[in-house]
Amino acid sequence: MQLDPAPPVDIIGAYDVLATEYDQAYSGPVEVAEDFAIGRWLRLYMLGETILDAGCGTGHLLDYVNIDPSAYRGIDASEGMLAVAREKHPGYLFAHADLLAPPRRPWRYGVVASIYVMLWMSDPVSFLNYLWNLVAPGGVLLLVTSSPRREERMSELLSQSGYPVTQYGYTREEILTALST
């Protein structure tokens, strides 16, 4: 399988265009139930830990999980999404980052969460290595991949941005293989 070195630039542009509409598009009852389940799982592991939200988007995780600003860091490749996150959650730290490039600082986190980001990564091995390198010894990686229903909804929403987007789907076996390398 030929892998590109980074997510396509067009997906970042699409998210920049749709940033102000993103949260509204994912506010239905199914999405709220998904968010609740993810939040419940995350709360099991976050006590006393610093959390990195890799691919934080609009800071959506903070909408349903109460995290102290001093314990949260959000990173994303879309400046538009980060602008919305900063507006919604003043006092929290959000930074621009390439999710495949080595981190500029050797920070380690007790919890690294990446929710619905992997489907945009053309190189799952580099992406998972990036995330693992940010997990502190004894820490936890929360990787939430997508479902066909969510992928269909994402494609529909992003097609409205006017940008051509590329989506990558991975089977359970492909993810396990990437994790084992």
Side-chain angles (χ1 to χ4, degrees), residues 76-106:
D76 202 279
S78 167
E79 289 289 359
M81 298 291 267
L82 290 167
V84 172
R86 290 179 185 115
E87 183 178 312
K88 284 174 46 183
H89 304 288
Y92 286 84
L93 179 64
F94 297 98
H96 183 265
D98 177 343
L99 298 180
L100 294 177
R104 286 181 253 163
R105 297 184 183 169

Side-chain angles (χ1 to χ4, degrees):
M1 166 171 51
Q2 175 66 26
L3 298 175
D4 297 328
V9 173
D10 53 2
I11 191 65
I12 296 166
Y15 274 111
D16 284 343
V17 168
L18 297 170
T20 57
E21 303 168 30
Y22 181 83
D23 288 336
Q24 184 179 354
Y26 291 98
S27 60
V30 172
E31 290 81 10
V32 170
E34 289 173 346
D35 292 345
F36 178 78
I38 293 166
R40 185 174 177 173
W41 190 92
L42 184 59
R43 281 188 288 277
L44 293 173
Y45 294 96
M46 65 182 241
L47 291 176
E49 297 292 344
T50 300
I51 298 169
L52 176 68
D53 188 359
C56 66
T58 64
H60 187 71
L61 179 65
L62 295 170
D63 295 342
Y64 58 93
V65 179
N66 185 21
I67 302 171
D68 185 275
S70 66
Y72 176 88
R73 305 291 180 270
I75 59 174
D76 202 279
S78 167
E79 289 289 359
M81 298 291 267
L82 290 167
V84 172
R86 290 179 185 115
E87 183 178 312
K88 284 174 46 183
H89 304 288
Y92 286 84
L93 179 64
F94 297 98
H96 183 265
D98 177 343
L99 298 180
L100 294 177
R104 286 181 253 163
R105 297 184 183 169
W107 290 339
R108 301 304 276 279
Y109 300 88
V111 177
V112 174
S114 182
I115 302 169
Y116 300 122
V117 177
M118 191 164 167
L119 78 138
W120 302 116
M121 295 296 151
S122 60
D123 185 348
V125 174
S126 293
F127 179 61
L128 292 169
N129 283 331
Y130 175 90
L131 296 176
W132 273 120
N133 287 328
L134 294 169
V135 177
V140 173
L141 171 61
L142 170 60
L143 179 66
V144 179
T145 59
S146 198
S147 66
R149 182 188 161 288
R150 183 170 279 269
E151 289 178 21
E152 181 179 313
R153 185 117 187 239
M154 291 290 289
S155 292
E156 181 181 302
L157 176 67
L158 289 168
S159 69
Q160 297 170 16
S161 73
Y163 283 77
V165 296
T166 303
Q167 209 170 350
Y168 301 89
Y170 300 102
T171 65
R172 180 178 185 274
E173 291 75 25
E174 289 171 322
I175 292 170
L176 291 174
T177 299
L179 285 170
S180 67
T181 59

